[in-house]
């Protein structure tokens, strides 16, 4: 039986100078991206007429492409302009995920494994995706680890890193949890399977120190800055599983859902606390007052 390849929500994709609806066929069986995994992407959000930090996401996808050995063929400012052009195609009632992407079509001559930067292609895909901000989540400690920069392309937001995240989530859900708390190869907590993570203890806000084993996200940095401006003591630190087990609050941050409270970590029950609520409040107030719009 053939698999339905149609997009699951209203979707528009810009590629090679044109906009297409749905899920256009872009990658074939001999494409380097399909065969050997040379894909990078980024993800911004549009909701309530705003797209917070859209410019930073457009800049980061270009850095990811270069770090993966490809060419950033579209200026970040042009990606941002195209994103607003795409946003205008929707009815404005549902939040949108904004996904700029690069991939290699061919491998290099003499070594097909390495991507040929001259074959880099670009697409910008936008699709409806409701927000799940503030929806409580449960975590379990994952048996799987984040790789070091010597072992994987951790300096790029690349699709090749996500099968590892996928198996973490599958394992967690088999055990009755939503997501997984993840460690690096040294056993220190770095993030969850799909987002950055914070903990609060005695009024101090902690988040794992960026050590290049995980994506230190744009929303993570924004939340850190806003909390500090509001007078909170926010520290990047090397954190253990025990630190999280003894936390007063735990919350996740990420572009997809912004701020998500954690109400369970294995056998530890938690409440959505005041710092978590304040983090979301500060973010939304900032987004609605200063985030970019199309004008």
């Amino acid at each position: 039986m053939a698999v339905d390849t149609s997009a699951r929500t209203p979707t528009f994709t810009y590629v090679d100078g044109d906009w297409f609806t749905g899920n256009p066929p872009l990658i074939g069986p001999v494409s380097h991206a399909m065969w050997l995994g040379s894909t990078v992407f980024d993800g911004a959000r549009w909701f309530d007429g705003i797209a917070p930090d859209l410019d930073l996401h457009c800049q980061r996808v270009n850095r990811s492409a270069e770090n993966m050995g490809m060419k950033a063929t579209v200026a970040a400012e042009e990606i941002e302009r195209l994103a607003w052009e795409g946003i205008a195609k929707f009815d404005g009632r549902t939040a949108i995920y904004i996904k700029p992407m690069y991939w290699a079509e061919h491998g290099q001559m003499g070594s097909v494994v390495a991507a040929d930067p001259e074959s880099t292609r670009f697409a910008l895909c936008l699709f409806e995706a409701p927000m799940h901000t503030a929806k409580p989540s449960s975590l379990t400690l994952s048996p799987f680890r984040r790789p070091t920069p010597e072992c994987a392309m951790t300096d790029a937001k690349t699709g090749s890193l996500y099968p590892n995240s996928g198996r973490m989530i599958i394992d967690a859900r088999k055990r009755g949890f939503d997501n997984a708390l993840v460690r690096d190869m040294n056993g220190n907590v770095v993030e969850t399977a799909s987002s950055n993570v914070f903990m609060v203890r005695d009024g101090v806000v902690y988040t794992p120190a960026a050590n290049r084993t995980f994506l230190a996200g744009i929303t993570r940095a924004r939340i850190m800055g806003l909390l500090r401006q509001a007078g909170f003591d926010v520290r990047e630190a090397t954190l253990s599983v025990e630190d999280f087990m003894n936390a007063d609050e735990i919350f996740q941050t990420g572009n997809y859902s912004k701020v998500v409270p954690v109400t369970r970590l294995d056998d530890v029950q938690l409440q959505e606390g005041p710092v978590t609520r304040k983090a979301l409040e500060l973010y939304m107030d900032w987004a609605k007052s200063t985030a970019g719009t199309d004008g």
Side-chain angles (χ1 to χ4, degrees):
M1 180 182 296
V3 174
D4 181 4
T5 63
S6 59
R8 293 181 174 180
T9 64
T11 302
F12 294 91
T13 299
Y14 175 89
V15 64
D16 296 336
D18 290 309
W19 286 98
F20 299 87
T21 59
N23 186 32
L26 299 179
I27 296 176
V30 298
S31 297
H32 191 275
M34 182 173 182
W35 186 18
L36 295 168
S38 56
T39 65
V40 297
F41 71 98
D42 219 287
R45 277 297 218 166
W46 177 92
F47 59 94
D48 297 337
I50 57 177
D53 286 325
L54 174 59
D55 56 340
L56 300 184
H57 288 281
C58 295
Q59 293 164 24
R60 189 171 65 181
V61 73
N62 280 359
R63 292 196 301 272
S64 290
E66 298 287 349
N67 289 341
M68 281 285 285
M70 294 183 287
K71 282 190 172 182
T73 58
V74 182
E77 296 80 7
E78 177 64 5
I79 299 174
E80 188 176 359
R81 186 194 70 77
L82 287 167
W84 284 111
E85 186 176 299
I87 289 165
K89 297 179 179 294
F90 293 82
D91 62 21
R93 293 196 294 264
T94 304
I96 298 168
Y97 192 82
I98 303 166
K99 183 173 61 172
M101 311 173 71
Y102 287 102
W103 71 97
E105 186 61 32
H106 303 296
Q108 294 186 15
M109 295 295 293
S111 179
V112 70
V113 172
D116 178 3
E118 298 303 321
S119 72
T120 302
R121 297 188 67 193
F122 171 80
L124 174 63
C125 179
L126 292 85
F127 58 90
E128 287 187 356
M131 301 282 284
H132 295 292
T133 298
K135 180 181 179 182
S137 179
S138 59
L139 299 178
T140 183
L141 182 64
S142 179
F144 306 115
R145 305 287 184 97
R146 285 292 183 218
T148 66
E150 296 85 2
C151 299
M153 294 296 301
T154 60
D155 289 329
K157 189 172 173 67
T158 169
S160 62
L161 293 174
Y162 281 79
N164 193 36
S165 296
R167 67 175 181 166
M168 293 171 182
I169 291 175
I170 290 170
D171 173 75
R173 291 184 175 178
K174 283 181 179 178
R175 291 191 271 137
F177 295 86
D178 299 313
N179 208 325
L181 192 68
V182 181
R183 294 165 288 177
D184 62 17
M185 296 304 292
N186 291 323
N188 301 309
V189 172
V190 287
E191 61 173 352
T192 78
S194 60
S195 60
N196 293 131
V197 68
F198 288 73
M199 56 163 276
V200 183
R201 182 71 176 174
D202 297 329
V204 179
V205 184
Y206 298 91
T207 193
N211 62 5
R212 296 178 62 208
T213 68
F214 69 99
L215 186 72
I218 290 168
T219 305
R220 169 186 179 271
R222 182 65 64 189
I223 292 292
M224 289 171 64
L226 291 170
L227 285 171
R228 283 171 175 157
Q229 289 173 19
F232 288 88
D233 183 358
V234 181
R235 305 178 188 178
E236 291 186 87
T238 300
L239 299 170
S240 67
V241 174
E242 184 179 4
D243 290 327
F244 277 84
M245 290 295 186
N246 292 317
D248 299 322
E249 298 179 45
I250 300 174
F251 62 92
Q252 304 171 59
T253 65
N255 172 64
Y256 211 90
S257 298
K258 303 308 179 186
V259 178
V260 174
V262 174
T263 54
R264 181 185 174 198
L265 172 57
D266 283 322
D267 294 331
V268 176
Q269 300 292 327
L270 297 149
Q271 297 294 321
E272 179 183 348
V275 179
T276 303
R277 289 192 292 271
K278 189 65 175 179
L280 179 58
E281 177 188 331
L282 290 168
Y283 182 87
M284 289 302 179
D285 286 349
W286 165 81
K288 292 173 182 177
S289 64
T290 64
T293 68
D294 193 27

